[in-house]
Amino acid sequence: MPDLKGNYNISGITGFLYHDLAGGNSSMKVNADRQKQQLSKISYEKKYIAVIIFFVFFSCSNHIQTGSSLSRSDIEYIKKLKLLNEDEKIYKFYSEYKNKVAGNFFTNKRLATYWIDERNKEKDEISFAFYPDIKSIDTIYDAGLTYSPYMLVTKRDNSKFKVSVNGEKKDIKSFFEEALKQWELHKDSRECLFINNTN
């Protein structure tokens, strides 16, 4: 603006321009950074909530089942995997995911586990042992934060596999103890040996 004499205050104009270019842009940059941080925080919170929902969902949906609570299609599917004979009874069953994909169980004749890869059949893992073929069973309650408790089954040929289970501590304990009891009852069973030789 001109003064009373009609002269312009150049320093005032340049000062305004400097404030606009330096101070003003700096303020805009700070606001942009704050918005970016807020968006990043919201994105992180959404991911965190999604992870919690995922684990809550699967911890609620995956639980230890009895053989009688399995559907007819589940039983037929397990038979199709050649992990169950007509005269076998599943006592307890646990799946980390869907029953068609994963299963861990014990019967009156064997311990078994399976993982069926829905995209690549070469990655399928199916393991079992009839009780007379089992040399030892180690129960692992504390397998770390990212793993379920499991029984490490060692067969007489020294091959090993894991039967995993998760849930309430008392239910895990019951699963392990009942499986061990079945092993003690049937580890010298001639009937199991006969099935093993003809299967």
Side-chain angles (χ1 to χ4, degrees):
M1 295 291 291
D3 58 16
L4 295 175
K5 296 181 180 180
N7 298 321
Y8 287 87
N9 187 341
I10 301 300
S11 63
I13 295 174
T14 55
F16 174 78
L17 290 173
Y18 177 79
H19 171 77
D20 183 51
L21 294 172
N25 286 346
S26 177
S27 177
M28 290 174 63
K29 185 176 184 300
V30 169
N31 289 335
D33 288 343
R34 285 178 181 172
Q35 289 180 350
K36 187 176 180 181
Q37 289 175 356
Q38 289 175 347
L39 289 173
S40 178
K41 184 179 180 182
I42 291 171
S43 177
Y44 173 79
E45 288 174 349
K46 285 182 177 179
K47 289 179 181 178
Y48 182 74
I49 291 169
V51 169
I52 290 176
I53 291 172
F54 176 84
F55 280 107
V56 168
F57 174 79
F58 281 106
S59 64
C60 292
S61 61
N62 296 349
H63 58 278
I64 297 170
Q65 297 178 261
T66 61
S68 58
S69 70
L70 293 171
S71 67
R72 182 184 294 273
S73 63
D74 286 333
I75 295 296
E76 291 303 317
Y77 180 72
I78 294 169
K79 286 180 179 177
K80 188 178 177 181
L81 296 176
K82 297 184 178 180
L83 291 175
L84 190 70
N85 292 323
E86 291 297 333
D87 60 343
E88 271 187 275
K89 177 183 177 182
I90 293 177
Y91 287 113
K92 288 193 175 178
F93 177 97
Y94 175 78
S95 176
E96 301 98 321
Y97 186 40
K98 299 182 293 186
N99 290 359
K100 288 283 190 290
V101 173
N104 302 268
F105 63 92
F106 64 93
T107 74
N108 55 320
K109 298 183 185 299
R110 76 180 92 190
L111 277 160
T113 182
Y114 63 87
W115 176 271
I116 306 302
D117 194 296
E118 295 179 299
R119 295 181 179 180
N120 187 350
K121 298 296 290 181
E122 292 181 359
K123 293 182 179 180
D124 290 355
E125 295 181 12
I126 299 174
S127 300
F128 73 90
F130 289 106
Y131 293 125
D133 292 330
I134 297 174
K135 183 166 70 173
S136 66
I137 300 175
D138 297 311
T139 56
I140 312 298
Y141 283 88
D142 185 7
L145 293 175
T146 57
Y147 296 96
S148 297
Y150 62 90
M151 289 185 289
L152 180 62
V153 180
T154 302
K155 299 172 70 172
R156 294 191 183 280
D157 63 3
N158 289 322
S159 61
K160 303 174 189 286
F161 66 91
K162 295 177 182 178
V163 175
S164 301
V165 62
N166 216 332
E168 296 290 332
K169 189 172 182 179
K170 62 181 179 61
D171 296 329
I172 295 170
K173 186 172 184 290
S174 176
F175 188 104
F176 286 171
E177 289 180 349
E178 289 182 38
L180 289 169
K181 183 179 179 181
Q182 288 300 312
W183 177 47
E184 287 295 330
L185 285 172
H186 301 290
K187 64 183 181 181
D188 297 320
S189 172
R190 290 181 178 275
E191 182 183 3
C192 288
L193 285 170
F194 176 74
I195 293 173
N196 191 12
N197 290 331
T198 57
N199 203 23

